[in-house]
Amino acid sequence: SVCLSVCLSVCQSEACQSVSFLLCCILFSVLQFCCNCCLLGKEAQANGLPCDHDLSVGSQCSKVSRVCCMEGAPDNQTTPDETKENGDSPVLSDECKGKVKGCVGNDTCACFKGYKLKPDGSSCEDINECLLGAANCRGGERCINTEGSFRCQREVSCGTGYELTDSNNCKDIDECETGIHNCGPEFRCQNTQGSFRCLPKVKCGPGFIQDALGNCIDINECVSQTEPCHRGQVCINTVGSYICQRNSVNCGRGYHLNDDGTRCVDIDECKGAEKVCEGHGCINLLGSYRCECEPGYIFNSISRVCEDVNECRHYPGRLCAHKCENTLGSYKCSCTTGFKIAGDGRNCDDLNECESNPCSQECANVYGSYQCYCRRGYQLSDIDGMTCEDIDECALPTGGHICSYRCHNTPGSFHCSCPINGYTLAPNGRSCQDIDECVTGTHTCTENQSCFNIQGGFRCLSFDCPNNYRRVGETRCERLLCNESVECLAMPLRITYYYLTFPTNIPVFTNIFRMGPSHIMAGDDIQIAITDGNEGGFFKTEQVPTGGVMSVAKLINRPQDFELSLELRLRRYGTLSTYLAKVLVFVTQDEPRVPYNPLLE
């Protein structure tokens, strides 16, 4: 503030009156900058910092700061790390406390290095060198203030295989010494800069190679080397090495060594004790022999014997008309069943078996055989193929499908029948047609009841609308006005009655009923559920984009009736509407059929 007052007085002096006002203001700005630099020096002196520390504010400002710092220091004040000339430390006064180094003249307290004197003049506080820029950290390091000092820490880690030392340098980690390597028991660890290596403990000798697990594997020199032995020698591999052996003299087939064992001579097989061409002529050849075979035989050069010629296989279809049978040195012809040998001994003539009346009903001669036929309703016996037996059409594997209800066998034929009530025989004489009692008028329903036809019968149906509902049409009840009654508004808007019928054992997951709004709008929330009548769990519901469907959940294997309540809840534009479907399901017997019993016919 004193400095600023001086600057202002300069601008208001008579000297400034003789120059322009602009030059006077420039002089004022220069003086204000000089005052700011001087204040930096005084602050450094007050915090116990050296007057020559680098503030990075330029050379001119640094000079002004250093001068103000040195002028502000008292003559009798010593720096924190100075000692008395006689080597004795200053004696602490009772008024000095905290981190105080000692007292100087006039009972003034001094602080240790890294601390500054508080305004009370008797205690010290830590100097934040990092905040004042007094730290000398290198590039890539950041300053961390500590009590009475500071430290520099690397900003980037050392990386894998290295660790940071107290001196802020990266040091290699010896994984072998610290035991953090993964070398196996058969290997020894060797440290490297930033890593390590696993070296096998066992060194393999000559003739072996070491695998990745440290095992010594024998080298097959006979395969890995090119011609390890001289000509006339054979290579034999051994464990860790190999040996060369000289080839011995071996004579080929049909030769043997001479008496002195120096060369091979021919063997005359025709003069030997063994009869090589038994029953045939023998001709000796160099290193071999050949047999002169009799007619019907051929010499085999591999087995060196005369073998029978199979004329039937060598000349198929050219020797005999039907069957050819080979014999030693020749062959003979024969005929298949239904034929007899012709006069030339090679061809076959047809045999008319029907002349002996082998069939019980009809016989037809065919080329090489005959065929027995039976009249309609009969079949050939499986035992002899000639006797005709009555066909029990009702007992056939497909007999259950000949008649839809009951089959009656007759000699050579059959006829079908239907249940006495509810069915009639179809024009095809096999199927049973359901009688629609509701159409024929043979039902017993009253005027207040509606007739509903089912398979093999009918049902008389009627319903009454609940309270607060009115009947609309033959199967629908609509809710009357509710007058804002909460209980009334929770009731379904419409109750509709539906009647379904299907046979037993229909496949599971078959959809039998679909329910949904007449039109779908964006944002509709539709929920459908069975609320009553599904105690046995035979049905289930599933939501679809247009509403919901009800399907069969479990197999229904016996006839029964169900009265299901299917509720649809529609939320549209924030308004919830409920609709109820009363679905009456009549499950009838699946294709009624009486098992066939021949004893009852």
Side-chain angles (χ1 to χ4, degrees), residues 512-565:
I512 62 173
F513 187 76
R514 185 181 298 272
M515 187 177 182
S518 58
H519 61 280
I520 301 297
M521 302 187 69
D524 283 356
D525 181 14
I526 302 173
Q527 295 181 357
I528 186 171
I530 301 173
T531 60
D532 191 21
N534 192 28
E535 289 75 13
F538 288 99
F539 304 94
K540 68 174 183 178
T541 59
E542 181 180 359
Q543 289 189 218
V544 295
T546 58
V549 294
M550 182 171 64
S551 60
V552 178
K554 293 196 313 185
L555 189 67
I556 307 174
N557 54 14
R558 63 181 182 86
Q560 51 186 310
D561 298 341
F562 298 92
E563 185 175 351
L564 304 173
S565 295

Side-chain angles (χ1 to χ4, degrees), residues 144-294:
I144 298 176
N145 185 62
T146 60
E147 186 70 22
S149 183
F150 65 93
R151 62 185 178 89
C152 299
Q153 180 174 312
R154 286 174 59 94
E155 294 183 346
V156 182
S157 63
C158 293
T160 305
Y162 294 89
E163 62 181 351
L164 190 66
T165 62
D166 295 336
S167 59
N168 210 32
N169 295 319
C170 290
K171 175 187 176 183
D172 171 59
I173 298 175
D174 191 341
E175 293 86 356
C176 301
E177 182 178 350
T178 58
I180 59 175
H181 61 85
N182 57 354
C183 296
E186 301 297 329
F187 296 84
R188 62 181 180 87
C189 177
Q190 181 182 4
N191 185 62
T192 60
Q193 283 295 323
S195 184
F196 62 94
R197 291 181 180 177
C198 297
L199 303 178
K201 294 181 179 179
V202 179
K203 297 294 183 180
C204 296
F208 294 89
I209 188 173
Q210 200 160 34
D211 62 8
L213 299 178
N215 301 318
C216 294
I217 308 300
D218 174 56
I219 300 175
N220 190 343
E221 294 83 358
C222 299
V223 177
S224 61
Q225 298 183 17
T226 303
E227 296 183 358
C229 298
H230 299 293
R231 294 187 62 181
Q233 294 180 330
V234 61
C235 177
I236 300 175
N237 183 63
T238 60
V239 178
S241 184
Y242 67 97
I243 58 175
C244 297
Q245 287 186 354
R246 183 169 181 170
N247 291 329
S248 59
V249 178
N250 293 320
C251 294
R253 184 177 180 181
Y255 295 88
H256 62 86
L257 285 173
N258 58 0
D259 294 338
D260 56 5
T262 58
R263 62 189 182 91
C264 298
V265 295
D266 175 59
I267 298 175
D268 190 350
E269 294 86 356
C270 297
K271 294 182 180 180
E274 182 182 359
K275 302 297 182 180
V276 292
C277 298
E278 187 69 31
H280 303 275
C282 180
I283 300 175
N284 184 60
L285 301 173
L286 282 176
S288 182
Y289 67 94
R290 181 169 59 84
C291 296
E292 290 289 341
C293 300
E294 298 293 330

